[in-house]
Every structure is written in C-alpha cells, then in structure tokens.
Amino acid sequence: MKKTSRRIWLWIAIACMVVSIVGASLVQTAGGDVEIRKLNLVIANDDTLYAQMYIPKDASADHKLPLVVLQHGSQHNLQMQDMNMVELARRGFIVISGDALGHGSSTPRGLADSPALNFANMIYLIDTCTANMDCIDMDKIGIAGHSMGAAIVVSTLQHYVELGARGGVNKIAAALEIGYDPSYVPFTFEGIDEPVYADSHWGVIAGKYDEYFFRQPDAGNDPARILESQAALDFVRQADPEAQGPVENGKYYYGEINGKEVSRVYYQNPEIHPQNVFSTQTAADVVEFFYNTLGVPEGHEYIAPTNQIWLIKQLFNLLGLVGAVLFLFPFACWIMDSVPYFSSLRTTETLPEAPALDSTKKKLVFWGGYLINLIIPAALAMPVMHYLVGKQSFAPATVTKWFGEGSTNEIAAWALISGVCILGVFLLSYFLFSRKYGMNTDGWGYKISWSNLWKSLLLAFISFLTVYAIVFVADFFFTTDFRFWLIAMRTFNANKFMYWLAYVPAFVVFYLVNSIMVNGGNRVKGMPDWVVTLISCIANVFGIIILLVIQYAVYAKTGTFVFNAMRTHNLFPFLVLVPAATIVTRHYFKETGSIYLGSFTIGMIYTMMQVTQVAMNTGIVN
C-alpha cells in the first residue's frame, strides 16, 4: 500500500508540473496570440545580454505596434517583470525584458568592460529592436523598470534626452519608474548651457511603505508623505508649471516641452518595495500609464487595467513549484524500488524509542533547548549577513572569484554558522542532560556506511538533475519555469552551476543539522508525528517571523528600520522554503532512518534556487 501511495503521489507531482507548464504558457501567450522569442545579444567586450520578447502575432511592417522595454531590479532576473510582460503583451504592446549584466543569464557583472555598461543594457535592447524590427511604431517606445531597473530607466531616458538636445532623436515617448525616485530637477549636460527637461511622458509608482526611496526632509523623510514634498511638486511642474501641491495621486499633469505635449504623473500605492512586482494595483497603474501615453495599440480593443490574468499565470507557476517539491520523495522511493543498487538505503531497523518528558526537569531541558535553537537563526541573521560578511554595505557585495554572489555569500555564511551553533547547543544539552534521561544517539540518523553515504549523495544528485531537466524542458519548449513571487526554480548557465558547486556544502550542512534536530532532538515518546513536524517547522521560522515583525512594527511607528532592509528582504523566501524542507526531509528520514538522502537532496535543490535568483558580482566562466 505504501508503494502504491507513493506511485500515486509521483504521478500527482508530475501532473502538477505538466499542468503548470502548459497552463502558464497558455496564459503568457494569451492563448497563442502572443509569440515569445529568446534573445542573446552580444554587446561591448563580447558581453551578452539575455532577453525575452513578447510579440503580438498581428505585429508586422504593415501593422506597427508600440514597444515597451522592461527592466527588473537588483538581485533578480527578467521574470520579475512577468506581471507587466503578460498584461502589456495581451493588450497589443510588443514587450521585451532582459537580464541586467550580472543577473540571470546575462554576462556576470565583473566581466563587463566598464561599470557604465551595467546601466546601458536597456539602451542596447532599444537600439537593437529599432534597428532590426520593422513592426515597431518608432513614435511609441516606452520604458519601465523596478528599483535598480527604474534607475536604469532614468539613465536610459537621460541618454536619449541628451541625444535629442544635441540634434539627434529622443526615441523614448514614455518612461515609468517603479520603486525609485525620479530626477526631480532637469538634466544638465556638458557643453549645453541651459538645463534640459525630458520631452517624454514620465511617471512614477511609489510604495507608501517603500524601504529605500521616496524620503524627503520637508515630508518628514516618510515615503507615505512623498506627495506632500516639494520634490514631487517640482517633478510634475516639469510639465505643468502652474501645478499646486500637494501632488494628487494618479493625476496626469500636462504641458509642453520642446513643442511636444508631455505629462507627469505620480502614483502611490500601499505597498512595500518588493511588493511592487507582485501587485494588482501596480499592474493596473502600469497598464493605465502606457495606455495614456502610447495609446491603445492599433487593432486591439481597450482592456480595462483592472482586468488582469498575470496572477493566474503565477498560480500555474506555483503549481509547478509545488509539484517539483512533491516529486522529490516519491521519485527517490521509486528509484530505491526499481534499482537494486539503491535498495540498501532503506532502513531495516527500528529506531530506538525517543525519551519521554516525564519530569519537570526533562521538560525544562527539552523546551529550553528548543527555545534557544529557535532564537539562534534570527539572532545571527543581521550580525552575520550585514555586519560580518556584508561589512555594513547597503547591498550585498562582498565576493571573491570563487564565491562571486554577494547575497549568497551572506546567506550561506548565515546558514553554516547557524547550523554549527544549533548543533553545538544540541550536543551540549545532550552531554550535560539528555543522555542521562535516556536519549540514544542511534536515533539521530547520523550513522551510515561509506557505501550508503555515497549512494545517498548519488541519488540526491540524480533527483536534482531530474527536477532541473524538467525545468529546462519547460523553458526550452514553453518559456516557463516554476516560481511564485520571490521563490523560483529557473534554468542555469555555466557560471551558476560553478557557484552551485561552491555554495552547496554550506546549505547541505545546514539541512543535515536541521534534520538531526527534527528527527533526533524533537522526537519525544508519545508525541504524534504531526506534532513533531509542526514544532520543527515553527522552530525553523518563528525567530525570522519575530525579526520581521520587529522590523516592520518599528518602521510603522517611527519610519526608521532596526535592521538593514535588503537583508530582511532576503529572508522572505525562507519563511516558506525551510518549513517545506522540514516536511520533506522528515519523510526521507522515516524511509531511510538516515539524515543524509533528504538533506543532500534539499540542499542541492535549494542551493540552485538561491544562486539563480541573485546577482553575480563576478564570474568563473568567461
């Protein structure tokens, strides 16, 4: 019956992934009305930019459509503009979104010829598209980006405004910044005596609770009050010099610059910074902005900005992510059933009985150790990530050639140090107290033969390769992957694989320790298995939850942060990933009586999820 049940779960997992791939593809292509192309553009110094282009199938030389170029923020990749790509393309806009240098599948940042290239990628995309595609309406080109991507929008707009000021052509009809301050004053250029105003439509979407931007002294440095500031008023007065403050949320201020009608608009939504890329309100504002500035694409009907389908695609992507995690354990069981070489990994022995908490002293020791280990990861997060490794930098940037991802360096160090400290507390408690109360180390699952250790490592790697083979198939044939907001399984290139090799030991150590705690330290005689799993999940995330509550409670009350905002954002995915790992590794442990197979598998999967979602500050493979 166990074997039958696991086969059923295996097929359920596969079905989830198949439905995810097909469903997400149907949504993002608007049921086949939008073609998706992948591009690898070779730019200066042989650097490459990877991009995806969404092209409505009615676009042609005789039926030109507006172009919108989108840019993701720091530490992410082009799929973080998924929301806007889907909504704009289905409305008839040609859309292109690229991985910035050092991100996703583009050239690592450290291999770029000049730091200036890091902010020039949008210019390359625009110039390439306008030079090689005859289906673009050259008078209707828009750009938009989030956070670092919005900074790139400003840099791009400045580039084309300067071209226009020097007698060339400003290709940008409309620019939209999301989660980043605009230029509140006109541009100045060497050799041009007068300040230059951008003769393009220009908009901003600001999060009311943005952790980084929209802080002006005359508005109490409070992003919630940015519309009251003189800076916001100066921005809209670029178009309408007679505008009066405070600036109205979502109002378009019109005027003329260089004989062209232009507008300025400032949206404000009740969001934190990372929420800007996962918000129905922001998605509606993006659509409204490009409708108002570029018009409804010819041959396409107006679709209300609130009519959105991107979340359906995200739910399909989430289904695939869940299916991939569900796939791991029944797949490993199928291999152990079908391949005699791996059958020895199954346990044939009954684990020693867990100790009972039948006295006050035993309960104090158990729950005291539990609380200490609950606190350790949260207590170490900022000291390790922001201070020890991050050296108090605004964004993670401490790297070497062989450990070239700033964010992953911080998280890997945090995971490794937390794991060592948790194990230290557990062992100290064992030698001082628990062994006297009947705890048997044979129940921890750490004892294993060299042969089975190798087989565990090999089977984990086979599972890792199988799951990611499915991801590559999804990307190659359907241009989809498995993701939900900040959590993603996406394809990887040679540099990402090399960094996977570099970082996987740290994450494996953490999950080995976690498995010892869950399956050795948290088991109690008479405690139901679901309770053991539940208290283990709580222990793994409760401290992080408290840290985040402190961060945002203080922020809501004072407008200031206790901790570095980017480091707290990096913790968000672990609220889901670590409990999920706890549940999965618990199943592996009960099947094998060992901590290794489950921890190796989850460690490999999660490491690749981490390294493919953040920026590379340097690269190993040219």
Side-chain angles (χ1 to χ4, degrees):
M1 290 183 66
K2 265 188 178 182
K3 186 181 293 187
T4 301
S5 174
R6 286 164 184 165
R7 294 296 183 276
I8 292 172
W9 278 109
L10 182 62
W11 285 110
I12 289 173
I14 293 171
C16 286
M17 290 187 283
V18 171
V19 171
S20 167
I21 293 166
V22 175
S25 176
L26 286 172
V27 174
Q28 70 185 9
T29 61
D33 290 337
V34 174
E35 177 189 356
I36 300 178
R37 297 180 189 172
K38 301 174 186 176
L39 307 174
N40 271 299
L41 306 181
V42 180
I43 59 173
N45 199 37
D46 291 330
D47 290 332
T48 59
L49 288 175
Y50 175 74
Q52 291 181 6
M53 180 172 262
Y54 285 43
I55 307 174
K57 288 193 173 178
D58 62 338
S60 68
D62 297 324
H63 184 222
K64 300 180 187 294
L65 296 175
L67 170 69
V68 177
V69 183
L70 300 173
Q71 185 61 63
H72 63 80
S74 175
Q75 304 298 318
H76 291 301
N77 46 66
L78 68 86
Q79 285 88 356
M80 295 303 286
Q81 283 296 308
D82 199 43
M83 171 180 84
N84 298 323
M85 293 163 71
V86 168
E87 292 304 329
L88 291 171
R90 68 186 281 249
R91 287 171 168 83
F93 295 89
I94 299 170
V95 185
I96 187 168
S97 180
D99 288 331
L101 289 171
H103 298 71
S105 300
S106 291
T107 296
R109 182 180 304 160
L111 300 181
D113 180 54
S114 164
L117 283 177
N118 294 326
F119 269 44
N121 56 298
M122 187 174 273
I123 297 170
Y124 281 106
L125 293 176
I126 294 168
D127 288 349
T128 298
C129 290
T130 54
N132 295 282
M133 299 181 67
D134 59 6
C135 58
I136 294 172
D137 186 337
M138 298 299 178
D139 295 324
K140 295 182 177 181
I141 296 176
I143 56 178
H146 173 247
S147 192
M148 179 196 75
I152 292 174
V153 164
V154 176
S155 177
T156 302
L157 181 62
Q158 184 174 359
H159 168 80
Y160 287 109
V161 168
E162 182 176 6
L163 284 180
R166 297 188 186 280
V169 177
N170 174 12
K171 295 181 180 180
I172 308 303
L176 179 62
E177 296 178 60
I178 308 167
Y180 188 80
D181 286 280
S183 177
Y184 294 114
V185 297
F187 297 126
T188 58
F189 303 112
E190 185 178 351
I192 298 178
D193 295 334
E194 297 295 324
V196 179
Y197 287 94
D199 54 352
S200 308
H201 298 286
W202 197 346
V204 181
I205 300 177
K208 193 173 182 179
Y209 311 110
D210 193 286
E211 296 90 335
Y212 305 106
F213 305 107
F214 310 111
R215 299 172 186 275
Q216 294 294 323
D218 64 338
N221 290 313
D222 183 355
R225 296 177 54 200
I226 185 62
L227 298 181
E228 303 170 23
S229 69
Q230 183 63 42
L233 184 59
D234 289 343
F235 175 70
V236 300
R237 280 180 173 173
Q238 293 179 18
D240 181 4
E242 304 301 320
Q244 299 297 311
V247 173
E248 293 184 40
N249 183 7
K251 177 181 176 179
Y252 282 73
Y253 294 82
Y254 290 93
E256 280 194 7
I257 298 177
N258 298 333
K260 295 167 58 178
E261 184 183 66
V262 298
S263 63
R264 298 291 186 266
V265 61
Y266 219 120
Y267 293 97
Q268 187 181 59
N269 296 328
E271 300 167 2
I272 62 174
H273 190 79
Q275 195 179 349
N276 296 154
V277 297
F278 202 83
S279 160
T280 55
Q281 183 58 60
T282 292
D285 292 342
V286 171
V287 170
E288 181 181 86
F289 177 79
F290 285 113
Y291 265 161
N292 287 344
T293 58
L294 302 182
V296 177
E298 183 182 349
H300 292 261
E301 295 182 357
Y302 173 85
I303 301 175
T306 54
N307 180 338
Q308 299 175 19
I309 62 172
W310 67 271
L311 190 54
I312 297 174
K313 178 183 181 295
Q314 281 284 315
L315 292 174
F316 275 121
N317 290 146
L318 174 62
L319 181 65
L321 189 61
V322 171
V325 175
L326 283 177
F327 175 84
L328 297 172
F329 176 67
F331 175 76
C333 290
W334 175 63
I335 295 294
M336 287 187 282
D337 288 336
S338 305
V339 182
Y341 179 74
F342 292 106
S343 62
S344 63
L345 291 177
R346 277 206 167 88
T347 184
T348 57
E349 301 177 1
T350 302
L351 291 174
E353 190 175 54
L357 300 182
D358 51 9
S359 72
T360 301
K361 187 175 289 188
K362 289 181 181 181
K363 291 176 182 177
L364 287 174
V365 170
F366 178 84
W367 291 111
Y370 176 87
L371 289 173
I372 292 172
N373 286 328
L374 178 148
I375 294 169
I376 284 175
L380 290 174
M382 293 304 125
V384 172
M385 291 194 293
H386 188 209
Y387 292 95
L388 178 64
V389 180
K391 303 184 188 303
Q392 301 186 57
S393 59
F394 172 75
T398 303
V399 297
T400 67
K401 180 177 178 64
W402 297 101
F403 296 93
E405 295 187 346
S407 285
T408 307
N409 282 339
E410 295 184 4
I411 292 170
W414 171 55
L416 186 60
I417 294 172
S418 295
V420 170
C421 290
I422 289 169
L423 182 61
V425 170
F426 178 62
L427 292 176
L428 183 63
S429 175
Y430 169 75
F431 286 113
L432 292 179
F433 306 106
S434 302
R435 65 176 177 175
K436 300 175 185 177
Y437 302 148
M439 178 178 281
N440 190 327
T441 60
D442 290 341
W444 297 359
Y446 73 95
K447 296 180 180 179
I448 192 171
S449 68
W450 286 108
S451 173
N452 279 346
L453 182 66
W454 159 249
K455 292 177 184 178
S456 297
L457 184 63
L458 180 59
L459 181 51
F461 188 61
I462 291 171
S463 300
F464 164 80
L465 289 179
T466 303
V467 166
Y468 269 93
I470 296 171
V471 173
F472 272 88
V473 168
D475 176 76
F476 185 82
F477 290 104
F478 297 91
T479 323
T480 66
D481 54 22
F482 304 142
R483 65 177 51 247
F484 191 77
W485 193 17
L486 303 174
I487 304 172
M489 266 186 199
R490 73 188 304 268
T491 57
F492 52 85
N493 57 19
N495 270 302
K496 293 295 187 181
F497 183 75
M498 294 301 292
Y499 284 135
W500 176 82
L501 290 173
Y503 292 115
V504 75
F507 288 96
V508 166
V509 167
F510 175 83
Y511 286 109
L512 284 170
V513 172
N514 186 63
S515 191
I516 289 176
M517 297 304 303
V518 172
N519 302 297
N522 292 346
R523 286 194 307 121
V524 175
K525 183 178 180 180
M527 183 180 287
D529 183 68
W530 69 268
V531 176
V532 173
T533 304
L534 177 61
I535 66 171
S536 299
C537 289
I538 292 172
N540 283 326
V541 297
F542 189 78
I544 297 175
I545 291 172
I546 295 300
L547 185 150
L548 294 175
V549 167
I550 292 171
Q551 174 86 322
Y552 286 100
V554 172
Y555 178 49
K557 186 173 182 180
T558 68
T560 59
F561 286 112
V562 179
F563 314 112
N564 175 269
M566 191 166 288
R567 274 69 179 194
T568 53
H569 288 165
N570 287 341
L571 295 176
F572 284 1
F574 295 98
L575 295 175
V576 175
L577 293 177
V578 180
T582 300
I583 295 168
V584 171
T585 55
R586 180 79 177 129
H587 281 288
Y588 276 101
F589 180 83
K590 289 189 290 184
E591 184 70 18
T592 65
S594 162
I595 61 173
Y596 296 100
L597 179 56
S599 300
F600 288 162
T601 304
I602 287 295
M604 290 178 184
I605 296 287
Y606 280 11
T607 303
M608 188 57 79
M609 291 174 69
Q610 169 64 31
V611 300
T612 53
Q613 274 294 91
V614 300
M616 291 181 287
N617 297 76
T618 184
I620 297 175
V621 181
N622 290 331

